[in-house]
Amino acid sequence: MGLKRLVVTADDFGAAKEVNNAVALAHRHGVLTAASLMVAAPAAAEAVALAKTLPDLGVGLHIVLVDGVPMLPPDQVPDLVDAHGRFRDDMVRAGFAFAFNPAARRQLRAEIAAQFEAFAATGLTLDHVNAHKHFHLHPVVAGLILDIGRAHGLRSVRAPVEPVAVLRACGDARAGGNVATPWAKLLRARLRRAGMTVPDAVFGLRWSGHVTAPRLAALIEHLPDGLNEIYLHPATSAAFEGHGPGYGHAAELAALTDADVRSALVAHGIRTGRFADFAGGNGHA
């Protein structure tokens, strides 16, 4: 039997106090091993202070380029934001601008650098990097993250490749191919060529916002060999600004602290940890 390794990550750390509280609860009393920080989010400072009381939590950078606010003043990134100073929500339009608008690319580089610099200023060790709504699937964004991240100790990046066969084994008979999978596989190969530690498989896309305790236990039971990541969006309630529409935030927190989930990890001999605990390889067992 191959070695099964698992990072359990909470995205959107810093989005709200409800998210921050859930991260602390899930790490102290559950199976959460990592969290991805939104450095410009409303509760980011609280998240950083909390993270410093959780030395075994792997904190990474959650690059935000959509559905949020920039780290830089809006007048420094005019091609990235709307009239209200928020990132534009049209990812297709933004993606074209990143690819074909030199001014937008310059602003994009500056904004990604500012987010890395803001993370560095926290004094936390950079465990990993990913992007909100997986915008790092865009080749330009991925290239800038690699280029800028090296100076900040970047070693691990998520490539969201979610094996359909595992979802079906978990009882999701309707699970099918994700249109982003080919891009995710290209990203995974590119990151590995660059020497990054990258998960072999990532779970949380198909069931985004709805990784319940039974689903989390099933994923653990059917976890493939190699390095895996399961990401969730826990919060103590859904009543916070910026919550995922229809997301079961509290149910995901319950899943992370569920006794059966913890027992499943032990029963299947799965080693859990931060990305830093598995760094140094390309993600393969």
Side-chain angles (χ1 to χ4, degrees):
M1 180 182 295
L3 179 63
K4 300 175 189 288
R5 297 166 291 164
L6 174 63
V7 179
V8 183
T9 308
D11 278 359
D12 301 350
F13 193 31
K17 65 179 181 180
E18 292 85 354
V19 176
N20 296 346
N21 290 341
V23 167
L25 287 169
H27 180 63
R28 288 173 174 150
H29 305 292
V31 301
L32 189 75
T33 62
S36 303
L37 176 68
M38 295 171 144
V39 289
E46 179 192 76
V48 171
L50 186 58
K52 291 180 179 179
T53 71
L54 305 169
D56 294 327
L57 180 70
V59 183
L61 174 60
H62 198 50
I63 296 280
V64 177
L65 300 168
V66 64
D67 189 27
V69 296
M71 196 72 220
L72 293 173
D75 62 1
Q76 293 187 24
V77 287
D79 293 298
L80 308 186
V81 300
D82 61 19
H84 303 287
R86 293 181 58 84
F87 288 121
R88 296 190 175 93
D89 290 334
D90 188 339
M91 293 178 68
V92 173
R93 179 182 174 187
F96 273 101
F98 297 164
F100 301 111
N101 182 335
R105 278 201 305 277
R106 287 193 296 271
Q107 295 165 29
L108 177 66
R109 171 179 283 276
E111 174 60 27
I112 291 174
Q115 292 189 32
F116 269 103
E117 289 159 9
F119 188 97
T122 69
L124 296 169
T125 299
L126 182 66
D127 183 68
H128 60 273
V129 170
N130 51 53
H132 193 47
K133 297 190 176 180
H134 307 298
F135 217 165
H136 61 311
L137 288 174
H138 193 295
V140 172
V141 176
L144 289 172
I145 287 174
L146 281 170
D147 186 34
I148 297 165
R150 290 186 189 281
H152 294 278
L154 178 63
R155 298 180 68 192
S156 303
V157 186
R158 174 191 298 163
V161 179
E162 187 172 52
V164 172
V166 174
L167 299 178
R168 290 176 178 167
C170 292
D172 189 348
R174 299 179 64 184
N178 189 305
V179 295
T181 296
W183 293 101
K185 288 182 176 179
L186 286 172
L187 174 64
R188 184 175 63 183
R190 180 180 185 180
L191 293 169
R192 286 179 173 163
R193 287 196 301 271
M196 296 292 112
T197 295
V198 188
D200 296 292
V202 174
F203 300 97
L205 286 80
R206 165 75 175 170
W207 298 332
S208 185
H210 302 282
V211 182
T212 59
R215 283 175 168 171
L216 185 53
L219 284 172
I220 290 168
E221 179 182 355
H222 297 286
L223 204 68
D225 292 342
L227 178 59
N228 297 270
E229 181 185 14
I230 302 174
Y231 73 92
L232 304 90
H233 300 85
T236 52
S237 78
F240 64 92
E241 187 174 352
H243 70 276
Y247 273 27
H249 294 287
E252 293 205 335
L253 171 58
L256 289 165
T257 56
D258 186 83
D260 290 339
V261 168
R262 295 197 301 271
S263 297
L265 287 172
V266 175
H268 293 281
I270 295 168
R271 180 187 170 198
T272 62
R274 305 160 294 184
F275 278 98
D277 297 318
F278 307 121
N282 62 6
H284 294 296

